[in-house]
Amino acid sequence: MAANKIRVATTSLAGCFGCHMSFLDIDERLLELLEHIEFDRTPLTDIKQCGPCDIGLIEGGVCNAENVHVLKEFRKNCKILIAMGACAFNGGVPALRNHYSLKDCLEESYLQGVGVVNPLIPNDPEIPLLLNKVHPIHEIVKIDYFLPGCPPSGDAIWTFLNELLAGQEISLPYQAIHYD
Amino acid sequence: MSQLETATHSETLKRVVIEPLTRVEGHGKVTLLLDEDNHVHQARLHIVEFRGFEKFIQGRPYWEIPVLVQRLCGICPVSHHLAAAKAVDMLAGARQLTPTADNLRRLLHLGQILQSHALHFFHLSSPDLLFGINDAVAHRNIIGVIADHPDLGLQGIRLRKYGQEVIRIISGKRVHGTASLPGGMNKPLSLQHRALLLADIDQIITWSKGAVDLIKKVYLTNTDFHQRFGLIQSNMLSLVTTDGAMDLYHGGLRAKSANGKTIFDHIDYCHYHQYIHEEVKPWSYMKFPFIVSQGNEVGWYRVGPLARINNCDYITTPLAEIERQEFRAHANGGLVQASLAYHWARMIEMLYAAERIREILLDPVSTGTDIVAQGEEKSLEGIGVIEAPRGTLIHHYLVNDSGTIEKANLIVSTTNNNQAMNESIRQVAVEYLDGQTLTEGLLNHIEVAVRAYDPCLSCATHALGKMPLSVELVNHKGKLVDCLIKSSTGEITK
Ligand code: SF4
């Protein structure tokens, strides 16, 4: 691999993977992109820890201790960190649980569910501790760019990355910006 | 309880963790407990996500649900959208859709199947199948596939793109569009859009057929390995039509036992809760469903492509039916139980989806404009079941008189496969890892077993452990935003 390629890492925290799908919606342009970038940790590669990178794309907000840990790992390693999509931006749909206490949410799923046998709240140390509320990522680390949309379209991600790689100021056309 | 689920003296064992699982959708991890001689005593797949959807959709108006719940999963949003839409049809008292609306929903769903299966096969799993499980980490991914087999990589991208375009045309967006209304659809299919999709469909069918040939060749080149890898004996569950054909949008529930005998058949899915219950285990946010008549010890089952191709009596499209027959011939009269046969079954379904898309596009009914059926008698309970790319997906809602949600129960496809995935990794752990010095390549064997199921861990859920633990959330200015302290008794304080 060329030594001077831009290194990009991506991760999904409390998101639905839709933003990653949108990234893949650049379709054949992925091949063109791969001439300029190489991937570090992403769900598409088997690299499990983020190394030093130029760009980090984060999907999803923060809902558990593990998310906080990964987000900090990305901030430490990525020169430019981008909040991709509504969940990273403002918590998105997962943050709807903030209207209820965590206890109520857990009890609904594991104690009061239809046809639940052996009702209990999972409590093994291997599963990460949940935060009481879902938080947008800019409450935890500094974020350099915000890309709105649920998800931002493949075209929006494409334009954004191109302008970023070219060192230009980002200017998305009006139609490419959605706050859905 | 299955062997290797729980070790007796866990405190004396060393822990190996595979985290995060990669080339799967969503978040999960596997833990192994080994003794000094590296014998495996425990292997578990943990789902480390919790969203709480069942709670926070309470109090929301029912017509919002199809658009809201699709945010459970960005890979199969259409499946959640449509399962919820079917439940909402029931709530609105419009169970019989117009033929045009029915066709459009099916078309949307088939676009979803095509793009999701292409994504899973080409982008996520093909590196293991083409390069081998021990291939170098830096190369073992879709970028490696594009570099070594550019034509194949490009086909994968274009197959996925076509499915996404079907979704965009019907629902307005590739991810999280809107299409279903109570009793129908919000937009007809224009002749221009139909022509656009028809222009490429023959090529898509050819590529899909090529993908079946490819996986068949890979599988049969080293048959013994592929048959034994992660092999388990399980029950199988899926929807079938009244005459036993495979159908991904609608049907009755059929379950077969590991030896191919029928457990139940043509069950109205509105009675699913009499047939399927879910067990909770402390170490995973994902529940463990089982067939009630078989009990929780042995009643677990598999869903998804492997179950569907095994369970159905035939497939309605010609090319896929030929492939189904060849696939089933490998079972010698029983069911194909090999975990890696999931990939083969998945490609047969992708071919079916491509063939069915052409049929629906060519059906003049599809471009009709009568797309909403009037509701007749409202109901306070709505249940929608669909065959999502990863398997049977169940949405169940109870509403009050003013139409707001009071209770919801979702059993997502991947949850249905929870026990089966755990059984498969235990089989692989015993067969390949036991007593070995663990290497990265050996650990990838575990992930290959998980990947066969195409799990979408994004759709799953979670709570709190026994370790004393405190978590502080500090913002970039150093200010404390949130803090959680869990005492050794498991009590949480803020
Ligand atoms: S912003 Fe939307 S598409 Fe992206 S992760 Fe959140 S719910 Fe999914």
Side-chain angles (χ1 to χ4, degrees), chain B residues 139 149 397:
Chain B
H139 178 253
H149 307 280
Y397 303 99

Side-chain angles (χ1 to χ4, degrees), chain A residues 35-105:
Chain A
E35 287 170 17
H36 307 289
I37 69 155
E38 59 189 6
F39 284 114
D40 192 272
R41 172 180 171 167
T42 87
L44 291 173
T45 62
D46 287 349
I47 301 171
K48 312 264 178 194
Q49 302 292 327
C50 182
C53 284
D54 300 292
I55 298 175
L57 290 162
I58 310 273
E59 166 195 298
V62 170
C63 77
N64 64 30
E66 169 67 15
N67 293 158
V68 177
H69 176 79
V70 174
L71 180 57
K72 288 187 171 165
E73 175 191 317
F74 268 69
R75 179 67 278 183
K76 202 169 88 209
N77 284 292
C78 302
K79 289 186 202 140
I80 297 173
L81 202 60
I82 297 146
M84 172 169 66
C87 295
F89 203 114
N90 61 25
V93 168
L96 286 177
R97 87 155 154 89
N98 293 355
H99 297 298
Y100 296 92
S101 74
L102 179 56
K103 185 163 165 281
D104 284 352
C105 292

Side-chain angles (χ1 to χ4, degrees), chain A residues 114, chain B residues 83 86-91 95 239 250-254 264 266-277 379-386 392-398 409 411:
Chain A
V114 178
Chain B
K86 288 172 82 174
V88 165
D89 292 342
M90 250 175 100
L91 295 172
R95 291 185 76 165
L239 293 177
H250 198 65
L253 289 166
R254 170 181 283 181
F264 53 71
H266 304 302
I267 301 296
D268 178 350
Y269 62 61
C270 290
H271 305 308
Y272 82 93
H273 45 282
Q274 292 166 17
Y275 295 86
I276 294 165
H277 283 171
S379 152
L380 296 180
E381 182 170 30
I383 297 174
V385 177
I386 197 165
T392 315
L393 167 67
I394 301 170
H395 281 216
H396 183 181
Y397 303 99
L398 295 172
N409 187 41
I411 306 182

Side-chain angles (χ1 to χ4, degrees), chain B residues 237 301-307 342 387 390-392 413-414 416-417:
Chain B
L237 176 83
Y301 50 88
R302 292 196 268 194
V303 299
L306 185 70
Y342 257 105
E387 284 293 333
R390 293 158 190 79
T392 315
S413 318
T414 297
N416 284 311
N417 275 334

Side-chain angles (χ1 to χ4, degrees), chain A residues 14-19 59-60 84-88 92-94 149-152, chain B residues 71 74 175-176:
Chain A
C16 78
F17 261 69
C19 289
E59 166 195 298
M84 172 169 66
C87 295
V93 168
C150 178
Chain B
R71 264 90 182 172
V175 181
H176 302 330

